[in-house]
Amino acid sequence: DGGITQSPKYLFRKEGQNVTLSCEQNLNHDAMYWYRQDPGQGLRLIYYSQIVNDFQKGDIAEGYSVSREKKESFPLTVTSAQKNPTAFYLCASRTSSQSDEQFFGPGTRLTVL
Amino acid sequence: GENVEQHPSTLSVQEGDSAVIKCTYSDSASNYFPWYKQELGKRPQLIIDIRSNVGEKKDQRIAVTLNKTAKHFSLHITETQPEDSAVYFCAASFSGNTGKLIFGQGTTLQVKP
């Protein structure tokens, strides 16, 4: 299970606050992804990045922002503009050159109080 | 747009029986189809995947079949065991640089001892 980590495991936020979720990988993977998972639903893509200093919106990017300043790191900021941020957030990475397989981090459960 | 439909949403079988989960996808250009297993509160784990140039793939008790013409693919688990109980997700992707995965809604499998 090593290789891709997320922190914190649990996060509580008051309404109106921005929070940043950490995602780090030491797999030397080029591509990284952020997904949101709600109860009883599949994973939905928020943002993805194929190389450093470049990223694209996924299907549900509104209210979120990302950066990719280093290959190993792809932090996700949940802004106050996100109307319903309570969810399980999963980060994933992929080598991009040799395999389509995505490896997932352990996830961060965000709760808005 | 890209869409993946997954059925059934819940599946209950007796230990030792077989389980089948089916998915359909909308985009005929999709050519990579992974299946993930997710235990409660844990990260999704890849259990098997198939590419569009292959019709069937097996790995011990698990098999996946793909019908490109009908745009559907299925997961087959034989000789089910209680530890197979989990949520299973199918996904479809374009192979290539983006690696975007579109996930099905998930199937909760319960294997009764």
Side-chain angles (χ1 to χ4, degrees):
Chain A
D1 286 348
I4 181 164
T5 59
Q6 292 183 241
S7 62
K9 185 174 182 179
Y10 298 97
L11 186 58
F12 297 90
R13 188 195 94 174
K14 294 181 179 179
E15 285 191 20
Q17 289 182 336
N18 294 353
V19 290
T20 298
L21 282 58
S22 169
C23 178
E24 304 278 335
Q25 53 97 3
N26 61 3
L27 302 168
N28 199 33
H29 284 175
D30 297 304
M32 298 185 73
Y33 308 82
W34 274 106
Y35 294 92
R36 169 181 172 142
Q37 186 175 28
D38 294 284
Q41 297 190 33
L43 284 67
R44 291 182 291 168
L45 183 64
I46 304 172
Y47 267 98
Y48 63 102
S49 169
Q50 299 175 73
I51 57 173
V52 175
N53 292 323
D54 187 51
F55 49 83
Q56 289 80 38
K57 292 182 179 180
D59 300 317
I60 55 166
E62 185 176 354
Y64 300 97
S65 65
V66 294
S67 63
R68 187 84 187 277
E69 298 177 359
K70 299 186 299 183
K71 188 175 185 177
E72 316 81 69
S73 179
F74 191 40
L76 173 74
T77 297
V78 184
T79 75
S80 57
Q82 169 50 235
K83 300 302 182 186
N84 185 21
T86 295
F88 189 47
Y89 290 88
L90 287 158
C91 178
S93 69
R94 182 178 76 101
T95 179
S96 183
S97 60
Q98 300 175 7
S99 170
D100 288 303
E101 180 179 356
Q102 290 190 19
F103 295 85
F104 283 87
T108 292
R109 188 166 299 279
L110 172 64
T111 302
V112 174
L113 304 173
Chain B
E2 300 158 3
N3 185 49
V4 176
E5 295 288 334
Q6 182 173 348
H7 299 281
S9 58
T10 60
L11 180 59
S12 182
V13 300
Q14 288 295 134
E15 182 177 1
D17 287 349
S18 295
V20 180
I21 302 170
K22 299 181 179 181
C23 290
T24 60
Y25 58 99
S26 58
D27 197 323
S28 57
S30 294
N31 54 13
Y32 172 66
F33 308 92
W35 285 90
Y36 285 86
K37 175 183 180 182
Q38 186 179 31
E39 297 178 353
L40 189 63
K42 300 290 182 65
R43 74 186 81 192
Q45 300 267 15
L46 181 73
I47 56 172
I48 196 167
D49 56 15
I50 193 168
R51 299 184 187 281
S52 57
N53 59 347
V54 176
E56 183 177 5
K57 183 177 179 180
K58 290 183 179 180
D59 183 3
Q60 300 182 347
R61 296 187 297 110
I62 294 173
V64 56
T65 58
L66 172 64
N67 183 326
K68 285 179 59 179
T69 303
K71 292 191 285 186
H72 66 70
F73 56 112
S74 300
L75 177 71
H76 304 254
I77 306 174
T78 59
E79 301 174 14
T80 54
Q81 301 166 4
E83 50 265 38
D84 293 330
S85 297
V87 180
Y88 291 81
F89 292 98
C90 63
S93 172
F94 289 104
S95 185
N97 289 337
T98 70
K100 284 179 60 177
L101 288 177
I102 306 299
F103 283 83
Q105 297 86 347
T107 296
T108 301
L109 174 63
Q110 181 186 27
V111 180
K112 298 178 181 178

